[in-house]
Amino acid sequence: MIRIGILGCANIALRSIIPSLMDMPEYFTIAGIASRQSEKSNECAKKYKSVAYNSYSELIELNTLDAVYIPLPNSMHFEWVQKSLENGLHVLVEKSMGCNFNEVQTLNQIAKDNNLVLMENFQFRFHPQLEIIQKLLLENSIGELRSIHSMFGFPPFPDPNNIRYQKLLGGGALLDAGAYPMKISQIILGIDLEVQAASLSYEDNFEVDIWGGGFLKQKSGKLFSEIAFGFDHFYQCKLEIWGSKGKLIAPRIFTAPPDYKAKIIIETEKGIDYIDADQSNHFKNMLLHFYETIAAANDQRKKEYLHNVNQARLLEEFRIKANE
């Protein structure tokens, strides 16, 4: 049983993570919910039959705590991940883990030195459709791999004060939406990638990047990934993989709801096939992986460190390339 604390009452915590934790009583118990606004912490704690804390520090200093989940704004991740790790706690943090490469590198070194799990919440990693896609690629269902194309974008947020529009809070489309196609590029093509082209677009009303796209290529291979993302788009959440004998499309790769039967489309000269993935709650799957990584040997923790740091490296490369 992992005793986990929740640092912040963000929408994703209330909508997805806390309900998933409540559905897994054999693995987790919510030891406390903290917010700097007492009304929020009290309301959330009452709803989920937990204990309210009006200070993040008070919660992470509990000697009965094993782990924390941190859904705070990006700019607050470094401080509270670091403090949590230094208090001997395993950490699940929302993406992006930090606002720059140095922050993420430092946090993973602290986690490594203390043999603690540090995991970034990319829940789509644990949906059955991704496992099916990887199996189809291993079976050469579309022939030899040539390239991948992924996009994640959605319409503007109705609230102009949304944290994703706030520079001081680590906002911007790259760290929020762009992190997803960046992540899946590594899952399909491996971590040995470099950013060869990047573009970030800004709007007069905001100080953060609103949309962008780029080109990633294997350092030691010929394969490449084209990515696109943004906050003012017609909704897209798609992965397309092009092969020598066909193509594969996953139209809802990043955000398949628990009651949604994800479809994978295979198109070859023989025609079009539709493959259904089982309905699944990828948040619960992700939390189970977090639990198992805490319980597992150190090798699984090392894999998370490696992928955390590489994700941050590519995001930093992208930002630098876009600003050249």
Side-chain angles (χ1 to χ4, degrees), residues 18-88:
I18 295 178
S20 295
L21 288 167
M22 295 292 290
D23 283 344
M24 304 173 72
E26 68 274 37
Y27 300 108
F28 295 98
T29 183
I30 300 176
I33 300 174
S35 173
R36 292 180 297 183
Q37 300 177 35
S38 59
E39 288 184 9
K40 275 191 174 182
S41 58
N42 289 329
E43 182 182 347
C44 293
K46 182 179 180 180
K47 180 177 180 180
Y48 296 108
K49 299 178 182 179
S50 186
V51 181
Y53 293 89
N54 299 327
S55 147
Y56 302 141
S57 295
E58 188 180 3
L59 178 54
I60 67 173
E61 289 169 4
L62 290 178
N63 57 16
T64 57
L65 208 60
D66 301 308
V68 292
Y69 165 61
I70 302 178
L72 299 171
N74 291 333
S75 63
M76 300 175 69
H77 287 178
F78 180 76
E79 176 184 2
W80 291 105
V81 172
Q82 181 178 23
K83 288 180 177 178
S84 298
L85 292 170
E86 289 174 346
N87 275 279

Side-chain angles (χ1 to χ4, degrees), residues 270-288:
K270 296 178 181 179
I272 299 177
D273 289 327
Y274 296 91
I275 301 169
D276 289 333
D278 291 336
Q279 294 178 355
S280 186
N281 185 330
H282 52 188
F283 289 101
K284 289 176 68 173
N285 299 342
M286 176 275 301
L287 288 166
L288 180 59

Side-chain angles (χ1 to χ4, degrees), residues 68 70 77 80-82 84-85 89-94 97-98 103-112 115-121 125 289-290 293-294 300-309:
V68 292
I70 302 178
H77 287 178
W80 291 105
V81 172
Q82 181 178 23
S84 298
L85 292 170
L89 300 173
H90 304 287
V91 176
L92 172 65
V93 60
E94 277 305 323
M97 183 174 289
E103 287 185 355
V104 175
Q105 193 173 41
T106 298
L107 293 176
N108 281 271
Q109 189 61 53
I110 295 171
K112 183 178 180 181
N115 192 26
L116 294 166
V117 175
L118 176 55
M119 184 172 150
E120 196 169 20
N121 178 23
R125 291 169 55 195
H289 177 79
F290 182 56
T293 306
I294 291 173
Q300 184 57 49
R301 302 181 187 192
K302 289 179 180 178
K303 289 180 183 177
E304 294 295 333
Y305 305 150
L306 176 63
H307 289 280
N308 293 340
V309 171

Side-chain angles (χ1 to χ4, degrees), residues 3 8 12 21 33 38 44 52 55 73 98 102 129 131 133 159 205 209 214 218 248 251 310 312:
R3 294 159 297 183
I12 190 170
L21 288 167
I33 300 174
S38 59
C44 293
S55 147
N102 287 336
Q129 68 175 323
E131 184 178 351
I133 289 168
D159 177 12
N205 297 336
D209 53 290
Q218 291 177 327
L248 180 154
N310 201 67

